[in-house]
Amino acid sequence: LKKPKQGNAPFAMKICELLFHGDGHNLPGFMISHQLCVVSCFFNFACVTSLNVEPGNGNNIFGVLDAVQTFFNMGFLGAVITTNLGSSTWQLMASAFPLPFLSNPM
């Protein structure tokens, strides 16, 4: 990446120096570590948002079927909700307020 395209914000310049040092071999390592960090965060969210309601007793959350309650107990529901909220919230904000996002110095 050429210097004029990197911007002039100090934090952005430091990130570009790290990512594109040499022949740009740091970028794939950064992307892999970023994905590993995201995956570990969602596993933690799944553990935190998992439920422990025994299906079949009539105490299911929202009165759902026992199979759905078993799915809720696995913790995948929290991971799905946080994934959808985390990925769509910023897209909706950027579409509603494009100027603040375009003029962000970071």
Side-chain angles (χ1 to χ4, degrees):
L1 198 63
K2 304 283 186 216
K3 289 285 183 188
K5 291 186 178 182
Q6 292 179 4
N8 54 7
F11 194 69
M13 293 293 288
K14 289 179 183 178
I15 289 175
C16 286
E17 286 175 16
L18 283 173
L19 290 180
F20 302 111
H21 179 70
D23 294 331
H25 294 296
N26 292 341
L27 183 61
F30 170 77
M31 295 303 289
I32 290 171
S33 62
H34 175 265
Q35 284 303 112
L36 289 174
C37 179
V38 168
V39 167
S40 65
C41 285
F42 283 114
F43 273 115
N44 288 332
F45 289 148
C47 288
V48 169
T49 59
S50 64
L51 301 170
N52 193 11
V53 177
E54 189 172 334
N57 292 339
N59 295 330
N60 294 351
I61 293 184
F62 308 123
V64 296
L65 299 172
D66 291 341
V68 178
Q69 184 61 49
T70 303
F71 176 74
F72 288 170
N73 289 346
M74 290 182 187
F76 293 127
L77 180 66
V80 168
I81 289 172
T82 52
T83 302
N84 289 333
L85 287 177
S87 65
S88 62
T89 302
W90 293 109
Q91 292 174 6
L92 291 172
M93 290 294 292
S95 67
F97 306 104
L99 238 65
F101 278 84
L102 291 175
S103 62
N104 189 358
M106 302 277 277

